[in-house]
Amino acid sequence: MNEQSEIRNLKGIGAKTEELFHKMGIFTIGDLLRYYPRGYDVYEEPVSVGELEEGKISTVKGVVYGRVQVGGGKRMQITTAYVKDLTGTLKVIWFRMPFLKNTLAGGGQITLRGRAVNRRDGLVLEHPEIFYPSEKYEEKLHTLQPIYNLTAGLTNNAISKAVKQVVESLDLTKEHLPEEIRLHYQLAEYNYAIRGIHFPEDKEVFYHARERLVFEEFLQFILAIRKLKDSNSRMDNEYVIPLDLRTEEFQKALPFELTGAQQNVWREIQQDMASEHAMSRLVQGDVGSGKTIVAVLALLNTALKGYQAAMMAPTEVLARQHYESITSLFEAYNIPIKVVLLTGSMTAKEKRRAYDRIECGLAKIIVG
């Protein structure tokens, strides 16, 4: 078994469970290893019944007091017990677990972990995790237990067991990072990081594991972008767009001057657009740094040369804002370029009207 092996090769994963893993994008052992927890449950020292706080997940240790009762209907059987310590008595309920009546009937000390909810008869511990005998809780004390994103039909315990099976059986000693890079940045080994992200012994182990894996993900991303850029730099530009003097006139007419950084970026974009090779550029800057005006200049220059240009926005609200600001700007400076808005929430009629304007060449800039 290796990271390319299918998830069904794990013990306890049949056809139905495999489909559930597929729903979450987990097809191989490697996918499972990289399905990192979204958070962790911290198993802390038990508190007394009197110290319980409403809404907080806590652990209490006490003795089962009195009879354990099962009530409710067939569809929703409720098991009720009372746990007592020196500071008070706590009501505890479980849903659809009538068999607990026999488990708890023997009395004795028990450890429970769950969320305390305020009801009419005081604080109630609802559907807590049971550690019986109490010594079982000692095994998890001070540990961080992984919490994974789930899909209907698949429990957190099922994912945790599958990951543990892989971690214990797969050879994870193979390194992905060159030794000199790992040592230079003082990063943990891959084996340590994978174990530490899924089953950290403490917060320090988790921090070291996360640091290594985050570094690796960013490195892969940067290398992929660089490879793409190198590939694009050799790609022929089929639409060479030289600078149109009307774009320069529009820029000079603006009521503000572009900053030095904005002018440098705009100059580089001009060179890219007029180059024999396709442009591959990412403009990065803080909010309010002037990225939009640089984009507008590129859109305008493209449209003035007879081509269509598109500005894509991550949200419909932002798309509308850009559409309104660009339209107002062009109207204020008598720019004869029509702009059209195209969003997913438009009606079929509105979209058809927008497409007609685009196809007829009436709209040279599309915002959506």
Side-chain angles (χ1 to χ4, degrees):
M1 184 172 66
N2 54 46
E3 290 196 21
Q4 285 70 47
S5 302
E6 295 185 355
I7 196 75
R8 71 164 72 102
N9 291 324
L10 291 176
K11 184 180 177 181
I13 296 184
K16 290 185 178 180
T17 307
E18 183 185 26
E19 286 182 15
L20 295 175
F21 274 101
H22 286 177
K23 279 186 178 180
M24 300 191 300
I26 302 174
F27 296 88
T28 67
I29 300 300
D31 293 335
L32 181 63
L33 282 177
R34 287 179 285 278
Y35 194 73
Y36 304 136
R38 63 175 175 82
Y40 300 87
D41 253 344
V42 183
Y43 283 68
E44 299 175 327
E45 292 281 355
V47 299
S48 65
V49 171
E51 293 175 311
L52 278 176
E53 297 179 25
E54 180 187 355
K56 184 178 179 181
I57 294 178
S58 304
T59 302
V60 293
K61 183 186 292 185
V63 177
V64 178
Y65 177 73
R67 293 179 58 189
V68 179
Q69 298 179 331
V70 177
K74 290 183 179 180
R75 291 187 176 183
M76 179 60 79
Q77 291 179 307
I78 300 175
T79 303
T80 305
Y82 290 88
V83 173
K84 187 175 184 178
D85 67 6
L86 295 175
T87 65
T89 303
L90 175 67
K91 182 179 180 180
V92 188
I93 61 174
W94 291 270
F95 307 104
R96 298 190 183 93
M97 299 178 73
F99 57 87
L100 287 179
K101 182 176 181 179
N102 296 327
T103 304
L104 303 174
Q109 195 174 67
I110 188 172
T111 300
L112 303 172
R113 184 176 184 274
R115 190 183 304 277
V117 181
N118 199 2
R119 301 301 183 197
R120 284 184 297 179
D121 47 356
L123 286 179
V124 177
L125 205 60
E126 289 191 346
H127 211 76
E129 190 177 359
I130 303 172
F131 298 89
Y132 187 71
S134 287
E135 287 72 23
K136 287 188 175 181
Y137 187 75
E138 300 295 327
E139 299 172 7
K140 289 191 173 183
L141 187 59
H142 302 309
T143 63
L144 283 74
Q145 299 299 315
I147 303 173
Y148 298 93
N149 284 323
L150 304 175
T151 189
L154 197 61
T155 65
N156 193 78
N157 190 45
I159 299 177
S160 183
K161 278 187 175 180
V163 174
K164 187 168 289 187
Q165 189 181 154
V166 172
V167 168
E168 291 176 352
S169 60
L170 199 65
D171 181 13
L172 300 172
T173 56
K174 185 178 179 181
E175 263 297 340
H176 304 293
L177 289 178
E179 188 73 2
E180 59 270 22
I181 291 180
R182 191 181 66 78
L183 293 176
H184 177 76
Y185 291 101
Q186 299 180 334
L187 301 170
E189 294 180 354
Y190 177 71
N191 184 29
Y192 178 95
I194 284 294
R195 295 175 187 274
I197 202 70
H198 286 288
F199 306 108
E201 295 175 5
D202 52 42
K203 291 182 179 179
E204 187 175 353
V205 171
F206 162 71
Y207 291 140
H208 286 307
R210 184 179 63 174
E211 182 182 35
R212 156 63 198 259
L213 295 173
V214 167
F215 179 93
E216 189 170 319
E217 285 188 4
F218 270 107
L219 180 62
Q220 290 174 349
F221 175 74
I222 291 170
L223 291 176
I225 291 294
R226 183 169 294 178
K227 183 178 179 182
L228 180 64
K229 184 175 181 180
D230 290 342
S231 174
N232 285 346
S233 67
R234 294 188 293 272
M235 189 183 300
D236 291 338
N237 180 11
E238 297 182 11
Y239 301 95
V240 176
I241 306 174
L243 178 64
D244 192 292
L245 293 178
R246 289 172 291 179
T247 306
E248 286 291 88
E249 292 171 2
F250 169 74
Q251 179 192 333
K252 292 176 182 177
L254 291 172
F256 56 87
E257 287 188 17
L258 267 62
T259 65
Q262 290 170 338
Q263 289 174 353
N264 288 336
V265 171
W266 171 228
R267 199 156 35 240
E268 290 175 3
I269 290 175
Q270 290 175 34
Q271 293 170 358
D272 286 345
M273 294 174 73
S275 169
E276 297 177 355
H277 302 292
M279 178 169 62
S280 175
R281 180 170 297 278
L282 172 67
V283 178
Q284 183 176 340
D286 294 332
V287 175
S289 61
K291 299 184 295 295
T292 302
I293 189 61
V294 173
V296 169
L297 290 172
L299 291 168
L300 175 59
N301 194 69
T302 302
L304 288 173
K305 286 300 183 181
Y307 298 104
Q308 285 183 341
M311 172 183 275
M312 293 187 293
T315 66
E316 186 168 320
V317 171
L318 189 57
R320 290 186 180 277
Q321 288 176 350
H322 282 317
Y323 167 72
E324 291 168 2
S325 62
I326 294 173
T327 301
S328 299
L329 194 61
F330 285 1
E331 288 176 353
Y333 289 91
N334 298 316
I335 302 296
I337 300 295
K338 297 298 180 183
V339 184
V340 66
L341 177 67
L342 189 61
T343 67
S345 67
M346 284 180 165
T347 64
K349 185 177 180 181
E350 289 171 332
K351 287 181 181 177
R352 189 162 52 249
R353 189 181 303 153
Y355 286 130
D356 287 343
R357 294 184 67 194
I358 294 169
E359 291 171 4
C360 294
L362 295 175
K364 290 294 184 181
I365 296 177
I366 303 103
V367 179

